[in-house]
Amino acid sequence: MIESDDHELMSRAVWIYYVGGLNQEETANRLGTTRARVNKLLQSAKDAGIVSISIDSRSNGLLEVEDELRQRFNLERCICSPALGLGRDAQLPGALSEYPRRAVGSLAATLVRELITRKGDAVIGTGWGRTLDHITRNMAGVSAPGARFVSLMGSLTANSAFNPFEVVQALARATGAEGYFLPVPFIANTPEDRDILLSQTTVRSVLEMARQPDMAIISVGELTEHSLLRRSGMISQVELNELHEAGAIGDTNGIFFDAHGAPVQHVLNQRTLAVDFEALRATHTVLLSGGIEKAEATCALLESGIVKTLVVDGDTARAIHMIAGGAR
């Protein structure tokens, strides 16, 4: 929680540094504090969404890759961040480990701002995860009281900081928009429980909105022991093994799919409460992919044909390009 005095100092530091053009030492002198304090205030301002950075991505050296991926997967747009030159097994040190997701979140926030500017009453569907969380940190200065953010999936999870409810609420708070979420679990106990939950009046009304957004923003998860679903305990080791046996290699919104991007035959896909692939195919679906470990799953989901816009970090884009080239 940021104290009011700290919040005021943070705001002043942001204006002096970014707008006034002073360096950190000069900003510190102006505020009567230390350079270390200013550095911390500026970082906190980014994390809190008080300041966001927009960068023109058209000169990052990946235009050829973007164009080839767009044609290969029949996309309307493909947007890449600069590549760091990472290999498939590379490990980013320290703060850089979050770079792919930060970069993709920043680019995706630009798409959201563009839509809201063009259509003030836009309905935007959102999934969940660490990459979508970074969108919320890049919405500074956006006011869209007529817009609506709605979760594309069940929003009640017991132990994840990146759950759908939090994503919707953070975006609504940042923009002044309305936020709607599906007041049901992410995964029901049984297919029968799922049907009962979906039959509730309040659930049906929100789900109807979620199935017809102006833009649907989803992310992709790799199906490994290190994936967010597994580490958060939302699927068990037994279920992970069963999904692999069924041919699943990734998921989006808790829907597990195979190498061709088709939902697999497994009971978990009958228990997940989420907007289905057919609804996603009928709207403008934006896929966010941050992290080279997601390349194979991203390539598979692109094969499904549900994605209209791909937002991806440069190293993952290159990996997808290689996988897709070999699959022709």
Side-chain angles (χ1 to χ4, degrees):
M1 193 74 172
I2 302 171
E3 299 293 338
S4 59
D5 288 347
D6 287 346
H7 197 285
E8 180 180 344
L9 187 61
M10 183 188 298
S11 180
R12 291 172 62 199
V14 165
W15 276 95
I16 293 170
Y17 181 78
Y18 288 106
V19 181
L22 277 65
N23 61 32
Q24 290 189 16
E25 184 173 351
E26 292 167 333
T27 300
N29 291 336
R30 177 71 62 176
L31 295 175
T33 187
T34 64
R35 180 175 176 178
R37 177 70 169 142
V38 167
N39 182 278
K40 185 176 180 180
L41 288 168
L42 295 175
Q43 185 58 53
S44 295
K46 291 181 190 176
D47 293 341
I50 293 171
V51 61
S52 60
I53 299 173
S54 179
I55 302 172
D56 189 342
S57 65
R58 291 174 294 180
S59 302
N60 63 18
L62 289 173
L63 291 180
E64 183 177 350
V65 172
E66 289 179 349
D67 190 54
E68 291 191 14
L69 289 179
R70 182 180 57 78
Q71 294 184 53
R72 168 67 176 81
F73 295 107
N74 195 30
L75 303 170
E76 293 184 18
R77 296 178 71 178
C78 177
I79 307 169
C80 300
S81 71
L84 297 183
L86 301 176
R88 293 295 295 271
D89 299 321
Q91 295 292 322
L92 287 171
L96 271 180
S97 64
E98 200 62 17
Y99 167 78
R101 286 177 286 274
R102 286 181 184 271
V104 170
S106 176
L107 292 171
T110 299
L111 293 181
V112 174
R113 288 196 295 267
E114 288 175 353
L115 175 58
I116 290 174
T117 299
R118 187 172 69 250
K119 192 175 190 296
D121 61 349
V123 176
I124 301 170
T126 63
W128 79 311
R130 292 171 292 178
T131 308
L132 271 91
D133 181 59
H134 282 295
I135 297 179
T136 69
R137 307 182 190 190
N138 288 275
M139 298 301 292
V142 177
S143 178
R148 290 174 288 173
F149 290 95
V150 57
S151 177
L152 297 169
M153 56 200 290
S155 299
L156 306 182
T157 59
N159 56 355
S160 174
F162 310 104
N163 65 52
F165 173 79
E166 292 296 338
V167 171
V168 166
Q169 291 300 99
L171 286 168
R173 283 196 303 268
T175 61
E178 295 180 354
Y180 297 84
F181 66 96
L182 289 169
V184 292
F186 180 21
I187 300 176
N189 290 332
T190 66
E192 292 75 21
D193 285 348
R194 175 185 181 273
D195 292 340
I196 291 172
L197 291 167
L198 290 178
S199 70
Q200 304 303 303
T201 302
T202 54
V203 175
R204 287 206 310 268
S205 62
V206 175
L207 191 58
E208 183 177 353
M209 185 192 311
R211 283 175 172 156
Q212 303 178 68
D214 295 288
M215 177 189 288
I217 306 174
I218 62 175
S219 60
V220 60
E222 73 282 15
L223 198 57
T224 69
E225 188 63 35
H226 304 293
S227 64
L228 184 57
L229 277 177
R230 181 69 191 99
R231 286 190 291 108
S232 62
M234 297 181 72
I235 62 172
S236 68
Q237 182 65 60
V238 171
E239 289 169 330
L240 178 65
N241 294 339
E242 290 175 350
L243 286 164
H244 284 157
E245 291 174 6
I249 66 167
D251 88 285
T252 184
N253 293 359
I255 301 174
F256 300 92
F257 54 83
D258 62 20
H260 303 289
V264 299
Q265 294 297 317
H266 189 275
V267 68
L268 274 175
N269 275 349
Q270 300 167 28
R271 291 167 48 199
T272 300
L273 291 95
V275 170
D276 59 32
F277 277 22
E278 290 310 307
L280 291 174
R281 187 174 286 109
T283 190
H284 188 102
T285 295
V286 178
L287 173 60
L288 311 186
S289 180
I292 200 166
E293 69 278 1
K294 300 177 185 289
E296 184 179 7
T298 302
C299 190
L301 191 54
L302 290 172
E303 293 282 6
S304 72
I306 70 173
V307 179
K308 303 295 193 304
T309 294
L310 171 65
V311 184
V312 60
D313 69 276
D315 295 295
T316 304
R318 286 177 170 169
I320 295 168
H321 185 252
M322 291 181 63
I323 295 170
R328 291 183 184 181

